[in-house]
């Protein structure tokens, strides 16, 4: 058990809909990362939050947004869903502090498998 | 942009064989991490190497960080079916900017060990 909790584990929805994925980081971790993993592909970095603030953006679509709340849990919102958005979405947390190279080890949740039909 | 290239992309071997997976970059990293991912699960951290030339052993797995901290290798001795999975290397930036401290992941090596 990594200590990172993601819900829901599975999600099936129709094209055009909007969904929210939730992540609770490990206790004490201030950094939260979101990744997308499509079939037979590696991890694609989407976005990082540190202590409630957005700190880094990857290849995140404009239809996607995220936020980190004062209690440090994070939500990833996916809207106007397309078939190609079907993937595993992972949340990870670390003690990493922007500006420091230590503590970057990532602890991943079990992921949310999103299927868009 | 920092990139990590892993090779081979796929590897299918028989139980008992040895194998090496490589992770290469033109960029210098402050540390290199290896993760293992099983189907439907999140990646799990195996090891972190920090010092150039560092070698770490985890049972039958040997991890090495290149002297210049640009590359790393994972060697598995006498592979077992339980070693099957996706092996990912990830580099931590040498100098993190104020914009983040995220890892750069390689594309992964899918290892299958047949009984």
């Amino acid at each position: 058990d990594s200590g990172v909790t993601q819900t829901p584990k599975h999600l099936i929805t129709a094209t055009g809909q909007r969904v929210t994925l939730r992540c609770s980081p490990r206790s004490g971790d201030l950094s939260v990362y979101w990744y997308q993993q499509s079939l037979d592909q590696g991890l694609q970095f989407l976005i990082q939050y540190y202590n409630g603030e957005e700190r880094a953006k990857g290849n995140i679509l404009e239809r996607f947004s995220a936020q980190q709340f004062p209690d440090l849990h994070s939500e990833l919102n996916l809207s106007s869903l397309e078939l190609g958005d079907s993937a595993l979405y992972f949340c990870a947390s670390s003690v990493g502090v922007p500006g420091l190279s230590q503590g970057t080890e990532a602890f991943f949740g079990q992921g949310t498998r999103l299927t868009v039909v | 942009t920092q990139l990590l290239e892993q090779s081979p992309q796929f590897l299918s071997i028989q139980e008992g064989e040895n194998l090496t997976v490589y992770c290469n970059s033109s960029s210098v990293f402050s540390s290199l991490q290896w993760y293992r991912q099983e189907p439907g699960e999140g990646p799990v951290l195996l090891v972190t190497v920090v010092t150039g030339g560092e070698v770490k052993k985890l049972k039958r797995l040997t991890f090495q960080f290149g002297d210049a901290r640009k590359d790393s290798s994972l060697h598995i001795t006498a592979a077992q079916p339980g070693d099957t999975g996706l092996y990912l290397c990830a580099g931590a930036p040498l100098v993190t900017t104020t914009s983040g401290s995220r890892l750069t992941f390689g594309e992964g090596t899918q290892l299958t060990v047949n009984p």
Side-chain angles (χ1 to χ4, degrees):
Chain A
D1 183 6
S2 67
V4 177
T5 304
Q6 284 189 251
T7 56
K9 193 167 175 60
H10 300 276
L11 198 49
I12 301 175
T13 190
T15 54
Q17 294 299 304
R18 171 190 169 95
V19 297
T20 297
L21 313 183
R22 183 188 169 100
C23 169
S24 294
R26 286 191 321 159
S27 177
D29 287 355
L30 298 180
S31 282
V32 170
Y33 310 80
W34 286 97
Y35 291 87
Q36 179 192 58
Q37 188 176 43
S38 301
L39 193 63
D40 296 330
Q41 291 191 8
L43 289 165
Q44 302 299 314
F45 170 73
L46 296 178
I47 198 163
Q48 177 198 3
Y49 279 83
Y50 175 77
N51 202 20
E53 293 186 5
E54 179 186 308
R55 300 312 295 263
K57 251 185 177 180
N59 299 322
I60 187 167
L61 300 172
E62 286 191 7
R63 301 183 285 109
F64 296 0
S65 65
Q67 53 184 331
Q68 186 179 28
F69 295 87
D71 67 352
L72 300 178
H73 91 271
S74 179
E75 293 181 355
L76 179 66
N77 300 296
L78 314 177
S79 61
S80 302
L81 285 167
E82 303 175 358
L83 295 177
D85 297 327
S86 296
L88 268 169
Y89 290 83
F90 287 105
C91 166
S93 72
S94 77
V95 299
V97 177
L100 299 179
S101 58
Q102 292 81 16
T104 57
E105 288 84 353
F107 294 86
F108 285 81
Q110 290 200 311
T112 293
R113 181 174 292 280
L114 173 66
T115 303
V116 182
V117 297
Chain B
T1 303
Q2 297 180 311
L3 294 174
L4 274 170
E5 295 184 354
Q6 283 189 242
S7 61
Q9 190 176 357
F10 298 96
L11 192 54
S12 180
I13 62 172
Q14 294 300 121
E15 183 176 1
E17 292 183 0
N18 302 331
L19 67 113
T20 302
V21 175
Y22 299 93
C23 178
N24 295 298
S25 176
S26 58
S27 303
V28 179
F29 293 98
S30 65
S31 68
L32 210 298
Q33 299 160 24
W34 285 92
Y35 294 78
R36 179 168 166 263
Q37 183 181 17
E38 297 192 27
E41 302 290 330
V44 175
L45 178 68
L46 295 175
V47 77
T48 302
V49 284
V50 179
T51 307
E54 181 178 4
V55 177
K56 278 191 174 178
K57 292 192 175 183
L58 188 66
K59 297 182 181 179
R60 294 175 292 99
L61 278 61
T62 301
F63 305 85
Q64 184 163 9
F65 203 9
D67 291 340
R69 291 188 293 163
K70 293 182 179 181
D71 53 80
S72 181
S73 63
L74 158 60
H75 183 79
I76 301 179
T77 303
Q80 299 177 1
D83 295 327
T84 293
L86 179 67
Y87 289 82
L88 295 157
C89 65
L94 183 62
V95 176
T96 58
T97 67
T98 55
S99 66
S101 56
R102 67 179 178 97
L103 300 170
T104 297
F105 277 88
E107 290 292 308
T109 294
Q110 181 62 53
L111 172 66
T112 303
V113 183
N114 303 298

